Structures are given as C-alpha cells and as structure tokens.
Amino acid sequence: MNKSIILGFAASLLMLSACNDFLEKNPRDTFINDPSFWSNTNDVQSYTNKFYDNYVGYSQAGGLGWFYFKSLSDDQIYSSFSNWDFITVPNTSSYWNNGFTEVRRANYVIQNVAKSSMDAVNMKKYIGIARLNRAWSYYQLVREYGDVEWRNEVVTDPDDANIIYKERTDRDVVMDSVLADLDYAIANIGSSSDKTAWSSDMARAMKSDICLYEGTFCKYRTQADNGKAPDNTRAQKYLNECVKASEALMQSGKYQLTANYGEIYNSLDLTSNPEIIFMRNYEKDVVMHGLCDYTCGSTEIRGITKDLFDAFLFRDGKAKANTSLDTDDNVTVNKDGDYSISKPLSVRDKRLSVLTDSIVFFKGKGWCRPNTHKYTVEMTSSTGYGVAKYDNTTLETYYRTNTNTNYTDAPLYWYAVILLNEAEAKAELGTITQEDLNKTINLLQKRASLPDMTLNPQADPANNMGVSNLIWEIRRCRRCELALDNWYRYWDLVRWHQLDKLDMQKYPNINRGANLSKISASDKTNVSLDANGYMIGNTKERIYNAKYYLYPIPSAQIQLNEQKLHQNPGW
C-alpha cells in the first residue's frame, strides 16, 4: 500500500484526537478514533454514506462518469483518441490510491463497529455495509491490477514495515475473500425501500455482476496473457453463484422491466421505477452532472461506431449477413436538408433508435436536437452518429446544455443487467433452457421489438470470438442493451479474453462511423472517408498488446516496496 496514504491517515488520527470540532464539521471524510462515535447508529450511517461516492454514475464531484465517457471500447470513437488507459508506467495512479483508501475506510468501520456498544443487529448491518464496499473496492483493484495485497486490518503504525509492506496476494484468493464479503453483506444488511440506500438486494445485484465477471474470466483467461491458466472448476463455482444471486432477485417479485427501453437513462426521478435496484440521485441546484450537455452540446460527441451499429439485429431477428430486410445504411437528405438514417433505423432493433439520433451530423454539417432552440451551437459527432439516450429534452435549456447543471438520475444496478447476467451464466454453464431464455433475454427482445431467441440461433458470420452461436447472441444482446453504460463493454471484453478486439488495425470497423458515400461533395471535404464511404473516426490507430490486460503498478509504489512488489508483465 502507498506509505504516503498511511502517513496521511496517521496524521489525521492525531489531528482528530486533539480537535473535536473537526469531527462535527465533516465526520465522513476522514478516519475517526472515538468509541462513542462508533456506537451511535446515526454517526455510523453518515460515515458509511461516504462509500456512495464510489458509485460514479453520470459523474461524481463534477468529474466524468462511467456512462458514455468510458469510450475505450469498440462501441465509441473519441476524436481526441481513446487509447489505452496506460501506455507507460505512471508514477502514481488514482485507481491504485483510491482503491486502497476505500479498503482502509471499510476496514476502519469493521474494526471500530465490532468493538462498539451498538446492538447486534445494527452492528452486523454496518459491518455488512463496510464489507460490501470492501468487496467493491477489491473487485476494482483485482480486475485492474491482478494480484493485490489483501488487507483486513487497519494499519495504524506507519513505522511498522512488516505490516505496511506486504506481498501481493494471489488474485483468486482475493476474489474468494470478496465473495465471502458479499455473502456476509447479503445476510446482514437487510432490505430498504430507498433505492439510494444500501440493501441486501443491492448486494445481490453486485454479487451477480462480480461473480459473472469472475466465472467467465477464469474460464477464458490464459497463462500467456493473464499469468494463470483457465480454471473450469473455479469458473463453474462463480457462475453458479451468479445464478444464485440473480435468481434471488428475479424470484423476489420486486423488479420488472419498464415498458420502454431508455426510460431509466434520462429520468428526473428513478425512485419509483420498477427496473431500478440501486441508483445515484441528482438534485436540481444541489448535486448535478454534465452528461446531457456532453451529448447535446457544442463539444464534439464521442460517436458510436459502425461496429456497434452493425451489431444491432434487424426486426426479423437476424444479423446483417442473414436478413432479407434492406441493409442499406446510406444517409438520405430529409425535408429539412439534414442527413437522415430514419430508414435504416426503422428496420433495426428499437434500442438503436433510442441510442442514436435519426440525423447524422459532423464537422461542417452540424445539427441541433429538438428543444435546444435557445442553444445556438450545433452538435457534431466523431462518427456522424449521435448519442441520444441520456438526453432529456424536457429539461430547461440552461439545465440541459451547461456542464454540471443536469439532474437526471443514474441507474447503478438495474433489472435488465440481472436478466443478462442470468442468461449468460447459464449459457456458460451449459444448463440454459428455452424457459430460461424466455424469462431473461426474450423479455429484452420483446421490448426491442425483436423475435424470441432460441437455443439454436442462426450462425452469424460476424462471430469472431470463437464461441457458440447461442453465447454469441447473448453477448450481442448484452452489448446492445448496455451500449455505453457503466463501463461494462471494456470489462466484458477483458473477462471474455477478447481485448484484442480493440485493435484498430485488425478491426477497422471500430474506427468507422456513418455511411456518407452519398453526401454532397462539399460536405465530404470536412470529413475523412474510407474506400467504402464510411466516416473515419480518428486518424490515429490503437494497437493491442497483451500487457494491456493489466494496468501497470505505479512506479512510486514499487520504489516504496521494491523487495515485495513487482511490476505486472510487459510493463
């Protein structure tokens, strides 16, 4: 762990011991050494609410969130170039530092509440909340760095090198501890009608996500790229745990899909939405974000790719290579003189029409989405395709088109994800039935105006992942349902061992956008097109290397602990 963090914490403890009024000013933002504090449920509740900041949503503290902005994937192109998160070894990294800060915060709660005079039920509840958030932090650290030191104690002596400097713990061992934390949280947190509050259902949703990740990662990992060979026994264990958590939510009767895809992304109030399990609340003039502005304002939109566009099925339920419907994706000029893709959208999965605009726009041919008439700067997109699903056209112009003035709520865990997790886990286990599909994927297919998926779908020539037709189609449904959502796509590619799909040389369609072959000659001067008339999103090319499966450990950490902490392979 970062010694500077530990020294900072120790200094905070000394300061807090001598400054009681500091506790009253901001009790959640530091570590508190006061037994009476830890026996008071109101104080501990306030303290554990600080963990809420780790669930970024559309943004946290004015930063960029996990929806739309995580454009390192095959779903988006950023004209400023979304290269790998790390190209060289950094001196420090917020991923590393913040992760271990939150682990320590959780351990601090666990240690102090366990020694308090709090009643047994509340004691277990708040320890459960802390263990839930320790699980979340370690899950992030493991998928980013692999082996990381496991800590379940609070370091209070900055001079004890034996405690401060530890070996990295095998990532499988860490993840087993994560599972134990999740199970404790599920058993002890309890229920809540508040969808911004910690609850056993929220813990089940987290377990569903984490166990799907771990199960598939262990199934598809390789010794050469990940440092460990596949482990099918371990994979089956975690996939079964995913099913267990998912089915508990499905059978509870508390959750159901909303009638219209897209409602959960641009709502002013998600508190009563039946699809939501856990959410991030934003309030007008109090806590706001900038996602609507970034997807309807003057900043060039990080457009969706041709690769993603082509992934959406046609209304007959068939892929582009198999459909008998019109596959022409050329733009046409509408009555307003704009370039339209209304016709291609009309024969596709309805989710595509929610995700992107019916108008294609780019440098030199900008466009304003409806109800932005007071906003005079037109939008442009890096690929010609817009991103519409996060925008709320009913927001007042000021609150819609300015940075950090938007107040639509963000989903964090929602029912569609649980259905996708259940179907994929059972498909990977080889136990899935048609009834399972009907209870999961086909509910999503119906909402998207698509025919039901069967256990033996037609082969798609675009399947380049070496998996069965069924798993390919389930992955397709996941991609289309969760496009640009919550940093899912990048980590899906990691756990499927498909990170090479982000190589632009091998897969040029991830750097292509709209078909502009029929636009005017004057408009073509403002864009770069390939030989087939598709817009090129970026002149740079991202190249895959197996070392990108893990982030590099910050060099400052290795310098502090060079005898026990070694760099990840390839870095």
Side-chain angles (χ1 to χ4, degrees):
M1 182 183 282
N2 189 326
K3 186 174 182 180
S4 63
I5 290 178
I6 295 172
L7 290 170
F9 292 160
S12 295
L13 291 175
L14 294 173
M15 181 171 63
L16 287 168
S17 299
C19 190
N20 290 332
D21 63 337
F22 187 73
L23 295 179
E24 297 173 3
K25 291 177 183 177
N26 208 345
R28 294 186 299 136
D29 291 340
T30 190
F31 300 104
I32 298 166
N33 190 17
D34 183 347
S36 64
F37 179 93
W38 297 107
S39 298
N40 186 306
T41 55
N42 289 332
D43 287 341
V44 176
Q45 179 181 358
S46 178
Y47 190 92
T48 55
N49 283 344
K50 177 63 178 174
F51 289 122
Y52 193 53
D53 290 344
N54 297 326
Y55 303 86
V56 179
Y58 291 159
S59 75
Q60 188 272 322
L64 303 181
W66 282 14
F67 292 75
Y68 171 75
F69 295 108
K70 293 293 187 180
S71 51
L72 174 55
S73 75
D74 49 358
D75 287 349
Q76 285 173 279
I77 303 172
Y78 186 25
S79 65
S80 294
F81 193 47
S82 288
N83 207 351
W84 304 100
D85 284 334
F86 295 97
I87 300 298
T88 59
V89 177
N91 183 51
T92 63
S93 170
S94 61
Y95 292 109
W96 180 277
N97 289 352
N98 294 348
F100 279 113
T101 296
E102 294 309 301
V103 167
R104 189 176 196 279
R105 189 186 304 279
N107 285 333
Y108 209 82
V109 175
I110 295 166
Q111 174 179 294
N112 284 285
V113 170
K115 296 186 297 184
S116 75
S117 60
M118 190 180 292
D119 66 274
V121 172
N122 277 312
M123 181 180 290
K124 290 180 178 179
K125 172 183 176 179
Y126 288 108
I127 290 175
I129 291 170
R131 290 186 67 172
L132 172 78
N133 284 283
R134 182 171 67 182
W136 171 251
S137 296
Y138 264 119
Y139 167 55
Q140 307 304 317
L141 286 166
V142 166
R143 69 180 186 173
E144 291 159 358
Y145 295 101
D147 298 347
V148 289
E149 57 189 80
W150 169 258
R151 290 190 177 273
N152 57 5
E153 80 288 342
V154 177
V155 178
T156 57
D157 184 357
D159 295 319
D160 190 337
N162 291 327
I163 295 177
I164 293 174
Y165 302 121
K166 296 180 69 174
E167 301 278 359
R168 293 168 74 180
T169 307
D170 185 295
R171 52 100 49 223
D172 289 4
V173 175
V174 176
M175 290 305 295
D176 288 344
S177 298
V178 166
L179 179 58
D181 277 352
L182 290 170
D183 284 339
Y184 184 94
I186 289 168
N188 292 287
I189 293 179
S191 62
S192 176
S193 59
D194 182 351
K195 295 185 177 183
T196 66
W198 316 114
S199 69
S200 292
D201 277 0
M202 181 271 195
R204 289 186 182 95
M206 185 187 293
K207 179 179 176 179
S208 173
D209 261 12
I210 290 177
C211 288
L212 179 67
Y213 180 93
E214 184 66 3
T216 48
F217 180 86
C218 291
K219 180 176 180 176
Y220 292 108
R221 68 189 182 188
T222 70
Q223 181 73 43
D225 293 347
N226 306 115
K228 275 200 162 188
D231 186 336
N232 194 54
T233 300
R234 182 177 179 82
Q236 288 190 341
K237 171 188 173 180
Y238 275 87
L239 291 170
N240 277 311
E241 290 292 337
C242 171
V243 169
K244 180 180 177 181
S246 301
E247 290 187 347
L249 293 168
M250 293 168 62
Q251 294 167 7
S252 71
K254 298 178 186 178
Y255 308 102
Q256 63 184 49
L257 297 179
T258 57
N260 299 307
Y261 174 76
E263 286 181 5
I264 65 168
Y265 299 110
N266 54 32
S267 172
L268 299 180
D269 185 4
L270 286 176
T271 55
S272 60
N273 189 297
E275 193 166 338
I276 298 297
I277 300 169
F278 188 60
M279 56 173 276
R280 187 169 185 92
N281 175 244
Y282 296 91
E283 291 290 340
K284 184 178 181 180
D285 296 322
V286 180
V287 180
M288 298 183 285
H289 61 84
L291 182 53
C292 299
D293 173 53
Y294 275 96
T295 59
C296 76
S298 59
T299 302
E300 183 183 68
I301 290 168
R302 305 177 186 201
I304 68 169
T305 64
K306 169 177 164 52
D307 195 74
L308 175 60
F309 193 99
D310 288 347
F312 284 84
L313 293 172
F314 286 74
R315 293 288 177 89
D316 58 4
K318 296 182 179 181
K320 184 176 182 179
N322 301 325
T323 186
S324 59
L325 300 177
D326 187 357
T327 61
D328 184 5
D329 57 4
N330 270 287
V331 301
T332 56
V333 179
N334 68 10
K335 61 182 178 59
D336 297 317
D338 295 315
Y339 291 123
S340 172
I341 52 169
S342 292
K343 186 177 179 181
L345 291 177
S346 69
V347 295
R348 295 286 187 126
D349 178 334
K350 284 176 63 175
R351 291 172 293 199
L352 184 56
S353 296
V354 175
L355 171 63
T356 193
D357 297 279
S358 62
I359 304 300
V360 166
F361 45 93
F362 46 86
K363 184 179 179 181
K365 188 62 177 178
W367 178 68
C368 287
R369 197 170 290 141
N371 298 334
T372 56
H373 59 280
K374 294 181 181 179
Y375 192 62
T376 57
V377 180
E378 295 180 328
M379 301 186 295
T380 60
S381 166
S382 60
T383 65
Y385 294 128
V387 175
K389 78 173 182 178
Y390 304 114
D391 189 18
N392 185 313
T393 59
T394 69
L395 281 175
E396 308 96 306
T397 302
Y398 170 80
Y399 288 99
R400 183 180 173 210
T401 59
N402 283 282
T403 302
N404 296 324
T405 59
N406 317 147
Y407 54 95
T408 50
D409 287 345
L412 296 173
Y413 290 106
W414 62 104
Y415 195 51
V417 181
I418 302 305
L419 299 182
L420 290 164
N421 291 353
E422 165 83 355
E424 185 180 344
K426 284 196 166 184
E428 293 286 1
L429 286 165
T431 62
I432 195 166
T433 66
Q434 186 62 48
E435 183 180 4
D436 292 326
L437 284 176
N438 293 342
K439 291 179 179 179
T440 57
I441 295 295
N442 287 336
L443 297 179
L444 303 172
Q445 296 279 97
K446 180 179 180 181
R447 187 166 67 172
S449 295
L450 294 174
D452 285 351
M453 186 183 297
T454 67
L455 292 172
N456 298 294
Q458 185 176 11
D460 178 9
N463 182 350
N464 59 2
M465 292 188 176
V467 293
S468 70
N469 297 337
L470 178 60
I471 289 178
W472 172 256
E473 293 303 328
I474 289 174
R475 290 182 181 183
R476 179 205 303 278
C477 184
R478 181 180 181 88
R479 183 183 189 184
C480 296
E481 182 76 25
L482 304 180
L484 317 191
D485 289 351
N486 217 17
W487 211 6
Y488 273 121
R489 182 62 179 177
Y490 176 83
W491 294 109
D492 284 346
L493 293 175
V494 170
R495 67 186 176 88
W496 295 331
H497 204 72
Q498 298 292 330
L499 199 57
D500 66 305
K501 300 302 181 291
L502 300 188
D503 190 305
M504 290 181 174
Q505 284 188 347
K506 293 180 179 178
Y507 304 100
N509 279 353
I510 68 173
N511 190 25
R512 299 291 184 270
N515 187 344
L516 304 183
S517 56
K518 294 185 178 180
I519 66 173
S520 69
S522 59
D523 286 333
K524 285 183 179 179
T525 63
N526 297 307
V527 293
S528 296
L529 305 181
D530 69 9
N532 296 311
Y534 289 96
M535 187 172 172
I536 300 173
N538 203 295
T539 56
K540 298 179 181 179
E541 287 190 321
R542 183 174 57 234
I543 307 301
Y544 163 78
N545 186 305
K547 72 178 183 178
Y548 296 131
Y549 271 106
L550 291 174
Y551 289 177
I553 296 175
S555 59
Q557 298 302 311
I558 294 178
Q559 290 169 7
L560 285 169
N561 188 13
E562 59 186 355
Q563 292 185 342
K564 296 182 179 180
L565 191 61
H566 303 289
Q567 188 55 268
N568 277 326
W571 294 101

